[in-house]
Amino acid sequence: MQTNNSKEKVRQLQNKLYLTAKKCDSRRFHALYDKVYRDDVLFEAWKRVKANKGSSGVDGIGIEDIEEMGIEKYLSEIKSELMDGKYKPSPVKRVMIPKPDGSERPLGIPTVKDRIVQMAAKIAIEPVFEADFRDCSYGFRPKRSARQALEVVRKACNNKGYYVVDADIEKFFDNVNQDKLMKLAEQRISDRRILKLIRQWLVSGVLYGNVLTISELGTSQGSVISPLLANIYLNTLDRLWEKYGLTHGILVRYADDTVIICKNKKNANHALNLLQYIMAKLDLKLHPVKTKIVSMWDGKEGFDFLGMHHRRMTTETSKGQLYKETYQYPSRKAMRKMKVEIKRNVNSRSLLIAKEEDLIKNLNPKITGWKNYYSTKTNEKWMQALDWYIICTFTRWYNKKHLLGGCVTNIILDPMLIFGLAFFPKMGIAGAALATGVGQLVSLIVYLVFYFRGPVPVKLEARYKIPGGNTVKKLYGIGIPAILNLALPSVMIFVLNGLLAQYSRSYVVILGIYYKLQTFLYFPASGIIQGMRPVIGYNFGAEERERVGKIYKITLAMAGVIMAAGTVLCLTISNTLIGAFTDNAETIAEGGAALRIISAGFIVSTVSVTASGALEGIGMGVQSLVISLLRYIVVILPSAFILCHLFGGGAVWNAFWITEFAAAVVAEIVYRGTIKRTMPKPR
């Protein structure tokens, strides 16, 4: 088999066929089959199939298997089968690919042999049909790309394209009329052997498990030839639109993904009606829900096309003049897919033992691909958000990996030092403290070992090691309120202890016991809020107002459930809880009564605690401090003083739930006002 310079020979063949077809749009080609089994065509087909990778089909023979048995031998066998007319395609193996929304998309995997023959046939016939394809089609065509389609859409929307028909063809690949497709192919090809090949691929059937299904409709998604057949079928749409639809709007098509950009709503309605008419001619239907007319006029609506969300937004010139421009940035679906892929490559438990360099090596090609596709002059903010997500994901992986030694050490030493197991002395609570300290020391040592042993992935230049004034201001703007938030409970307890000591020492003991119990109660809720901070901050920075609201509500609900459980425990077994810290009967009785009163404010406290955490997460430290001041100083201390002097020392416990109700009201007002003031309305 002669395969020298196959790429150049194939290019010359395709150029000749294209120019011949372009000269006469009515010419039918009758001698194409012999081009399919040419040595250079088959070898080039093999190279392209190998480059696309892919799994084995129903015969179980993969690319590696073919390389082992000998490529030239394998291609010679295919050539012989084609020349003798003995080639018969195998059924397509069906696999189900999960979608982000939980549903599944069927994908057909032909055998490697069928993929090679399909690619060879595509090389031979594509130039003939390419001569007929219209400029509005961009999908799976030589020298055309999704980026080109996106640019046409952007320019059309900027050029008074105020209404867009966002069309979705319902199950296109499953509903292609095979007979009509063959008639369309016959308009350019008279070679019966080529037509027979195409028909064979259409009716070869789909094997799912042990069940073979042969349908009179559809083309197999995943087949090499399928995108070309889709373009042949939908070229009817392109031709009819060129003849009847240009007055209504600009059609842009990428395979079965279609949008029409129109100047007004009247044109959009006419465009949609014409599109439905053409679809009926092709025995296709538009999805009744997914197909819609989108108003781009005021920027309140947008549409997704080829992984990008398109929306008119107000922007500003260098001279301060405002104008509307169509922004293109990754759609929510695309962002979700990218994040899932990042998690899959970094955040899996099995990857905790992996080297950082290997993770970066695997992920970098994907990041480069995303950057090359999604980077536009209007989506810098969204790409920065993705960068931040990658950094956070790697940080979590790094912490899990390097803190593992300290955590394991702490877990092992805890029972040994507390109960005096093995050769360790029995130390009780002091042993738990020592185990924690040793665990943290081990974590520090692990960090230092990894830091000095291997290269640090992020290097800071000297000029960046000294923060600027604005950065310092932002850090202290959050840090100082956070410091005060931590100090306020101590101030409150100090004042309350002084107040309660005047009435009974048992009240002071009860207050101390309550705050020990409170630690256990609020700890899981605080953990949820701690996890909320980076997530809500990330979405706040991306101006995802809807998502910020959703995160806040979910966190509020989760914390509320925990506090509700705490309320139930305090109401039902309050004396038992107090009894865990003291055996004084009087203190237990008074403490149980106090705990039942205080618990009235547990559930409502989730509002102020969650709002305070959310405000810190979005960088509003002062607003968070205001809420904390209400909870620990401004409301509770005056309330406690007044109640004690009016009703005695036992009335002080009512100040806790009164404070929580007051703080909840103010917290909700402050949070909503801050979000409304600092974030745009949902897109």
Side-chain angles (χ1 to χ4, degrees):
M1 175 173 282
Q2 301 295 321
T3 57
N4 295 334
N5 204 18
S6 62
K7 187 175 182 180
E8 181 60 26
K9 289 179 180 178
V10 165
R11 188 186 67 81
Q12 291 174 1
L13 169 66
Q14 289 189 305
N15 283 345
K16 184 178 179 181
L17 290 170
Y18 175 80
L19 292 172
T20 305
K22 200 71 176 175
K23 282 181 184 179
C24 181
D25 58 6
S26 61
R27 174 168 178 171
R28 299 176 72 207
F29 289 75
H30 64 276
L32 291 173
Y33 188 77
D34 62 322
K35 311 293 191 298
V36 176
Y37 58 74
R38 274 178 35 169
D39 290 351
D40 52 346
V41 172
L42 280 174
F43 189 71
E44 185 62 23
W46 155 255
K47 288 197 297 183
R48 294 182 186 183
V49 169
K50 182 185 176 182
N52 292 334
K53 300 178 181 179
S55 308
S56 59
V58 295
D59 61 358
I61 299 175
I63 291 172
E64 297 81 7
D65 300 319
I66 295 170
E67 289 177 327
E68 285 182 11
M69 68 176 70
I71 297 166
E72 288 196 12
K73 180 184 176 184
Y74 191 77
L75 295 180
S76 295
E77 290 175 358
I78 293 175
K79 181 178 179 178
S80 298
E81 287 185 20
L82 289 168
M83 289 177 66
D84 298 340
K86 296 180 179 179
Y87 166 77
K88 288 185 180 180
S90 303
V92 174
K93 183 171 73 174
R94 172 161 288 180
V95 295
M96 305 305 291
I97 308 299
K99 292 178 149 181
D101 60 1
S103 62
E104 291 181 319
R105 177 173 65 89
L107 183 67
I109 304 176
T111 63
V112 178
K113 177 193 285 187
D114 290 338
R115 296 208 295 271
I116 293 170
V117 179
Q118 287 183 16
M119 184 64 77
K122 181 174 179 285
I123 288 171
I125 68 174
E126 184 177 52
V128 175
F129 292 102
E130 184 63 30
D132 295 336
F133 291 159
R134 295 318 198 245
D135 290 340
C136 62
S137 170
Y138 292 89
F140 307 102
R141 292 182 60 189
K143 299 181 180 180
R144 288 184 161 247
S145 67
R147 290 297 297 266
Q148 291 174 325
L150 290 169
E151 184 61 14
V152 172
V153 171
R154 186 187 68 83
K155 287 181 177 179
C157 288
N158 282 338
N159 188 24
K160 299 182 179 179
Y162 300 130
Y163 287 85
V164 176
V165 179
D166 183 11
D168 182 275
I169 304 175
E170 191 171 12
K171 296 181 178 179
F172 167 72
F173 285 94
D174 295 334
N175 291 317
V176 170
N177 188 309
Q178 294 176 1
D179 292 332
K180 286 189 177 182
L181 174 60
M182 292 306 301
K183 287 180 181 179
L184 291 169
E186 288 169 11
Q187 290 178 2
R188 272 299 203 172
I189 298 175
S190 59
D191 191 328
R192 294 191 176 277
R193 292 178 297 177
I194 288 286
L195 296 172
K196 183 183 177 182
L197 275 180
I198 296 173
R199 176 66 79 172
Q200 282 181 318
W201 289 322
L202 290 173
V203 300
S204 61
V206 175
L207 189 66
Y208 188 47
N210 295 320
V211 180
L212 177 65
T213 305
I214 298 175
S215 176
E216 295 180 358
L217 292 174
T219 66
S220 177
Q221 267 187 287
S223 297
V224 172
I225 200 74
S226 187
L228 175 60
L229 298 179
N231 277 332
I232 294 171
Y233 199 73
L234 289 176
N235 191 50
T236 302
L237 162 64
D238 304 339
R239 287 191 297 104
L240 291 175
W241 194 266
E242 192 175 86
K243 189 174 182 180
Y244 302 108
L246 291 181
T247 56
H248 304 317
I250 298 171
L251 174 76
V252 181
R253 184 176 65 81
Y254 192 95
D256 60 323
D257 292 331
T258 306
V259 293
I260 306 168
I261 300 94
C262 310
K263 290 189 176 182
N264 53 57
K265 193 169 184 180
K266 182 181 178 181
N267 283 346
N269 286 321
H270 286 314
L272 180 57
N273 291 333
L274 178 58
L275 185 61
Q276 288 173 328
Y277 175 79
I278 296 171
M279 288 296 110
K281 289 288 185 182
L282 292 169
D283 292 341
L284 297 172
K285 292 181 181 179
L286 295 177
H287 197 289
V289 177
K290 295 180 180 180
T291 301
K292 57 187 181 293
I293 295 175
V294 179
S295 172
M296 299 285 285
W297 179 261
D298 53 6
K300 291 182 179 180
E301 290 185 281
F303 65 96
D304 294 344
F305 182 60
L306 301 181
M308 288 284 198
H309 186 75
H310 305 71
R311 187 182 293 269
R312 284 172 65 84
M313 300 176 92
T314 303
T315 189
E316 188 176 352
T317 65
S318 56
K319 296 181 179 179
Q321 296 176 326
L322 299 178
Y323 68 99
K324 293 283 188 179
E325 184 180 5
T326 302
Y327 274 54
Q328 293 177 326
Y329 50 87
S331 65
R332 291 181 178 177
K333 183 179 178 181
M335 290 291 284
R336 272 198 307 271
K337 286 177 69 175
M338 287 187 279
K339 290 177 181 178
V340 168
E341 187 65 17
I342 292 165
K343 277 187 174 180
R344 191 180 68 82
N345 280 269
V346 179
N347 228 21
S348 172
R349 287 185 180 273
S350 61
L351 296 174
L352 285 175
I353 59 174
K355 293 182 179 179
E356 193 168 13
E357 309 88 75
D358 294 337
L359 297 184
I360 294 171
K361 185 179 178 182
N362 290 335
L363 194 59
N364 265 345
K366 297 178 176 65
I367 296 172
T368 303
W370 296 332
K371 182 184 177 189
N372 292 339
Y373 183 77
Y374 289 106
S375 289
T376 66
K377 67 176 185 178
T378 59
N379 77 346
E380 184 179 353
K381 178 172 64 178
W382 285 269
M383 299 312 291
Q384 286 177 346
L386 187 65
D387 286 344
W388 179 245
Y389 184 82
I390 294 169
I391 292 169
C392 290
T393 305
F394 266 97
T395 301
R396 285 193 294 270
W397 172 86
Y398 195 85
N399 286 338
K400 286 179 182 177
K401 182 180 179 74
H402 296 156
L403 284 172
L404 190 62
C407 293
V408 171
T409 302
N410 195 359
I411 293 168
I412 294 173
L413 287 180
D414 261 336
M416 290 184 169
L417 292 174
I418 293 172
F419 303 108
L421 303 178
F423 53 84
F424 292 99
K426 186 178 180 181
M427 300 176 67
I429 298 299
L434 181 59
T436 302
V438 173
Q440 291 176 343
L441 182 62
V442 170
S443 294
L444 174 62
I445 294 170
V446 172
Y447 267 115
L448 292 173
V449 168
F450 275 93
Y451 181 83
F452 289 109
R453 190 194 68 174
V456 181
V458 180
K459 298 286 187 182
L460 292 179
E461 296 180 17
R463 58 183 174 141
Y464 295 117
K465 291 182 179 180
I466 302 174
N470 192 40
T471 304
V472 172
K473 185 179 177 182
K474 287 181 179 179
L475 288 171
Y476 278 107
I478 301 171
I480 291 176
I483 292 168
L484 294 173
N485 283 340
L486 293 172
L488 289 176
S490 299
V491 174
M492 182 193 72
I493 293 171
F494 176 78
V495 175
L496 288 179
N497 278 337
L499 180 65
L500 294 172
Q502 302 175 23
Y503 297 92
S504 172
R505 291 190 61 84
S506 63
Y507 290 162
V508 177
V509 174
I510 291 168
L511 181 64
I513 292 172
Y514 164 68
Y515 270 97
K516 287 185 176 67
L517 289 172
Q518 187 197 56
T519 302
F520 291 103
L521 178 63
Y522 278 88
F523 190 75
S526 297
I528 293 169
I529 293 166
Q530 188 71 20
M532 171 197 66
R533 287 189 175 99
V535 179
I536 202 168
Y538 159 73
N539 285 281
F540 180 82
E543 296 186 0
E544 291 282 355
R545 184 169 177 172
E546 281 186 3
R547 204 173 295 171
V548 166
K550 188 177 180 181
I551 294 166
Y552 177 77
K553 290 175 182 176
I554 291 172
T555 306
L556 190 65
M558 292 174 69
V561 169
I562 293 170
M563 299 310 293
T567 303
V568 172
L569 288 173
C570 290
L571 289 174
T572 54
I573 57 168
S574 55
N575 287 12
T576 304
L577 292 173
I578 298 294
F581 296 89
T582 180
D583 55 1
N584 186 293
E586 183 182 353
T587 302
I588 292 173
E590 291 180 351
L595 198 56
R596 288 190 290 273
I597 294 170
I598 294 171
S599 66
F602 282 175
I603 296 174
V604 76
S605 72
T606 57
V607 177
S608 56
V609 172
T610 306
S612 183
L615 289 166
E616 285 185 5
I618 64 177
M620 304 296 172
V622 175
Q623 289 85 340
S624 174
L625 179 60
V626 168
I627 298 170
S628 296
L629 283 169
L630 286 170
R631 292 187 71 214
Y632 297 117
I633 303 294
V634 176
V635 178
I636 192 168
L637 294 183
S639 300
F641 182 81
I642 294 169
L643 289 169
C644 284
H645 281 78
L646 291 177
F647 306 106
V652 72
W653 314 120
N654 291 284
F656 286 83
W657 66 264
I658 292 171
T659 299
E660 295 298 355
F661 274 88
V665 173
V666 175
E668 190 66 15
I669 294 171
V670 171
Y671 173 76
R672 289 184 179 274
T674 303
I675 294 296
K676 187 177 181 180
R677 188 175 66 257
T678 57
M679 290 197 71
K681 291 184 178 180
R683 298 189 301 268

